[in-house]
Each structure stands twice: as C-alpha cells, then as structure tokens.
C-alpha cells in the first residue's frame, strides 16, 4: 500500500527549533522524526511513501538523496504555497497519480497503530475514508469524533471548547482513503481536512472511525516533543536507538535526558528531563531542566535554564537564569 505523509507544515509551535528545520527532521533520540514515522509504516507492510512537502523541502531531499527513507522508496510533491492538510492530500494524490485506496498520515505523530487492522476495518465497512481514533483525557486541543455503534462517524468537531466535547475520542492523524475523497477537496485554495472535508463526510455518512489504544503521541509542542524523546529513551516505545558519543564529565548529573552526538557536558552540571541536539557545550555548574536545546548551543558557567527552548548556535552567557523562555537561533 502507498502512504501520503503530510510534512509540509511550518511547525510554528515548535519555534525556534523549526526556524531552519522542518518539524519532521528534528531528532527524536538522535534519529529524525520522519524515520520513526516511515519506519513504522515499513514494518506494517507499506511499500512506498509520498512526502507532501511545503516548508523547507530541501531538508528532506538533502538528507535522503538516494530516494529511500527507512529502507523504502519515497516520492515527493512540493507545494508552491501551503495548501492546508486536505489541499496537500489533493495535490499529492494528483501529482503521484494515486488511483487506489491509500493511507494518509500526519507526519508529526508517533504511534504503534496496527495499520493492517485499520485497512481491514475500512474494507469491511465499505467506508469512503476511515480515521484512527485515540482516547485522551483532554480532547479540546484535537479533532473530536463521535461514532455510532457500527463505527460510522456521526460528528467531527475540530477543537471543541473545553468541557463541551461530545466524546473523548480524537482524530489520531492516520487515515485510509478511497481516491474519491480527493474529488471532495476544492482546488485552488488552502483546505483543512479537519475543518472542512471530514465534517462534510460525516454529514454524508461515508466517514468511519476505528478505535485504537496503542502508543500515540502528537509531537507538535515543545512539551510533547520533549515527551517523545523521553518515551523512546525510557522504552515506552519499541526500537530504542543507541545514542552515541557525547562527552559527559563523571561529576555531571544527567537524568531522563537525551544528550546529542558531539555534545560536551562539564563537571557539576545537572541536566534533567531535557533534550540537547548535536554539538552543544554546557559549562561547569550549569543546570538545565525541562528544556530543549537545538544544535551548537553554548551554555555558560553557572547558568540555569528551566522550561526553555533554545535555537541553534545561541550562546547563553555565564550566570544567566532563564525560565520558560524561547531564544531564536543566532
Ligand atoms: P503548527 O504551525 O505548530 O500548528 O504546526 P504544523 O504546521 O505542523 O501544523 P499541524 O501540526 O496542524 O499539522 C499536522 C500535520 O500536517 C503536520 O505533519 C504538518 O507538517 C502537516 N501540514 C500542515 N499544514 C500543511 C500544508 O499546508 N501542507 C502540507 N504538505 N502539510 C501540512
């Protein structure tokens, strides 16, 4: 089966990490997110993926010049301007001449979803499109889905006000689609699958949804991105990669953190629940908690960073205290 992976968004909530790098090229335990996503698809028998690209497409093309990601071939469709989630599906399906049922994924979701079960559910119910659902405690940040007994979607509401949600089952960002869905998406303007296409299909009675309770995480905010790294590190997800080659002084304390390749941690440093990308330097006596540091960040002596997101190449001077701050890259 063929899968379209949506990876063209600006990733504004993850700035400054996404200033120069698309979200799906950010590292989860040292491996770009797109490899986790495509690797999962490959394990479930997907034979080829189509990347729906928009923001900084070269980052992908340069990283995978031989036309393969996670050992399966990929094709690309590059939007001249952002077409929204549905517009991107339409554009990719046309560019890639998709004529059979295909998968669509939000490229910023990590999940162990059983893809084969979703496809089987879709076929059995003769659906036009089928959404994977996930149960969450606070659905207000997501697309909420109410289904009837047979799995038919009766209502699809994107980001309902808190406390007003008709269900706690949310759109998990993996879909099976018949090619006819493409004809429902208007051409020539940005279209959101969550705000237009799915609500229309729910009304038409052709949209179905299957519940799943596997590992699932949307990585769109700094807190979620940090969680994604820690989940892999701590084995809450399968396939823990080996994290190589940072230099950590024996008198430094590292807890629940990912220290990227080439980074250097001095004595009496404390790093807790944080992710450092490659080639960072943390000087003596610094404390870093609940933070994400991009590549080549320099942290001066005695500095304290808490809840911060620091862009690449930034220098944090000695003795500074930064709490809940975002610093753009230099
Ligand atoms: P924020 O700006 O922080 O909301 O992030 P985002 O731009 O990634 O948006 P969102 O998280 O809602 O997007 C969900 C998925 O769809 C992500 O994998 C995006 O890369 C992708 N996406 C969003 N908009 C577009 C688009 O216009 N074109 C393409 N090709 N993909 C998109």
């Amino acid at each position: 089966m063929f899968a379209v992976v949506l990876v063209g968004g600006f990733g504004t909530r993850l700035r400054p990490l996404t200033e120069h790098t698309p979200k799906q090229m950010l590292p989860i335990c040292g491996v770009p997110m797109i490899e986790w996503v495509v690797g999962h698809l490959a394990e479930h028998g997907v034979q080829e993926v189509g990347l729906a690209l928009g923001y900084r497409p070269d980052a992908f093309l340069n990283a995978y010049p031989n036309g393969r990601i996670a050992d399966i071939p990929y094709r690309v469709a590059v939007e001249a301007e952002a077409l929204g989630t549905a517009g991107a599906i339409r554009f990719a399906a046309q560019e890639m001449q998709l004529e059979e049922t295909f998968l669509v994924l939000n490229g910023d979701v990590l999940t162990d979803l059983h893809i084969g079960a979703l496809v089987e559910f879709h076929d059995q119910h003769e659906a036009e499109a089928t959404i994977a659902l996930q149960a969450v405690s606070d659905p207000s940040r997501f697309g909420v889905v109410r289904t009837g007994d047979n799995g038919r979607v009766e209502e699809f509401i994107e980001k309902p006000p808190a406390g007003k949600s008709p269900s706690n089952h949310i759109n998990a960002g993996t879909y099976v689609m018949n090619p006819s869905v493409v004809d429902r998406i208007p051409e020539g303007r940005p279209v959101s699958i969550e705000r237009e296409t799915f609500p229309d299909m729910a009304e038409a009675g052709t949209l179905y949804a299957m519940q799943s309770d596997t590992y699932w995480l949307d990585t769109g905010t700094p807190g979620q991105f940090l969680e994604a790294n820690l989940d892999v590190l701590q084995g809450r997800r399968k396939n823990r990669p080996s994290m190589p080659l940072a230099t950590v002084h024996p008198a430094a304390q590292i807890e629940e953190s990912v220290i990227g390749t080439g980074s250097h941690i001095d004595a009496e440093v404390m790093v807790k629940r944080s992710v450092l990308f490659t080639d960072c330097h943390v000087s003596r006596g610094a404390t870093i908690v609940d933070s994400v540091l991009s590549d080549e960040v320099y942290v001066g002596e005695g500095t304290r960073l808490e809840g911060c997101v620091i862009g690449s190449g930034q220098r944090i001077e000695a003795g500074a205290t930064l709490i809940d701050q975002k610093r753009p890259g230099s």
Side-chain angles (χ1 to χ4, degrees):
M1 200 170 210
F2 189 90
V4 173
V5 187
L6 302 176
V7 291
F10 293 105
T12 48
R13 289 166 297 160
L14 276 177
R15 283 185 194 155
L17 305 176
T18 47
E19 269 177 326
H20 310 292
T21 308
K23 188 178 351 184
Q24 292 80 8
M25 286 305 295
L26 295 177
I28 307 281
C29 286
V31 176
M33 189 186 302
I34 189 70
E35 293 185 36
W36 289 100
V37 172
V38 176
H40 172 68
L41 293 173
E43 276 174 23
H44 284 254
V46 170
Q47 285 143 338
E48 189 177 11
V49 293
L51 301 185
L53 300 176
Y55 177 60
R56 297 194 178 264
D58 288 352
F60 296 91
L61 299 168
N62 292 339
Y64 307 104
N66 69 352
R68 297 176 84 82
I69 299 175
D71 235 16
I72 57 173
Y74 75 93
R75 286 189 261 163
V76 299
V78 185
E79 292 149 47
E81 55 199 67
L83 292 173
T85 42
I89 294 168
R90 180 184 171 107
F91 182 70
Q94 285 176 335
E95 289 280 295
M96 297 171 188
Q97 299 177 346
L98 303 185
E99 282 164 5
E100 288 171 14
T101 299
F102 57 95
L103 289 161
V104 176
L105 284 95
N106 279 354
D108 56 352
V109 167
L110 297 182
T111 176
D112 292 336
L113 176 72
H114 193 312
I115 304 281
L118 187 71
V119 175
E120 207 176 301
F121 183 100
H122 176 84
D123 291 342
Q124 274 171 359
H125 290 78
E126 297 182 359
E128 188 180 8
T130 300
I131 305 174
L133 299 181
Q134 195 76 22
V136 296
S137 51
D138 174 14
S140 61
R141 291 180 296 123
F142 300 99
V144 174
V145 180
R146 185 167 59 78
T147 51
D149 288 342
N150 62 352
R152 195 198 301 252
V153 175
E154 293 174 344
E155 205 177 5
F156 187 105
I157 314 165
E158 186 65 10
K159 301 193 176 73
K164 294 254 166 76
S165 177
S167 114
N168 68 339
H169 286 110
I170 58 136
N171 168 15
T174 301
Y175 323 124
V176 184
M177 283 185 180
N178 292 353
S180 61
V181 176
V182 174
D183 302 325
R184 292 179 173 273
I185 302 169
E187 204 168 5
R189 66 171 172 89
V191 184
S192 158
I193 197 93
E194 299 88 354
R195 294 191 185 277
E196 294 188 49
T197 320
F198 283 159
D200 285 353
M201 290 179 70
E203 217 166 287
T206 62
L207 183 63
Y208 284 73
M210 186 193 86
Q211 288 174 26
S212 155
D213 56 3
T214 48
Y215 175 88
W216 182 87
L217 183 70
D218 170 3
T219 65
T221 66
Q224 291 165 331
F225 178 71
L226 192 54
E227 202 178 325
N229 276 271
L230 300 188
D231 283 353
V232 171
L233 184 72
Q234 293 165 345
R236 281 190 283 276
R237 279 215 73 194
K238 53 187 178 154
N239 298 347
R240 184 175 168 174
S242 53
M243 276 299 294
L245 305 177
T247 311
V248 178
H249 192 282
Q253 200 182 336
I254 313 288
E255 280 179 30
E256 299 182 86
S257 295
V258 177
I259 311 294
T261 307
S263 290
H264 189 103
I265 312 288
D266 287 349
E268 290 158 38
V269 163
M270 157 75 130
V271 183
K272 198 169 171 182
R273 285 190 311 276
S274 294
V275 176
L276 279 56
F277 293 3
T278 59
D279 300 315
C280 291
H281 187 129
V282 184
S283 310
R284 193 182 188 93
T287 300
I288 301 175
V289 183
D290 292 328
S291 296
V292 183
L293 277 53
S294 190
D295 301 303
E296 296 176 26
V297 172
Y298 174 88
V299 177
E301 272 193 33
T303 300
R304 182 172 180 86
L305 301 179
E306 208 178 306
C308 291
V309 185
I310 309 294
S312 59
Q314 177 67 248
R315 286 182 74 84
I316 312 292
E317 290 312 324
T321 297
L322 305 184
I323 298 184
D324 291 336
Q325 286 200 24
K326 292 189 180 186
R327 287 276 174 98
S330 59

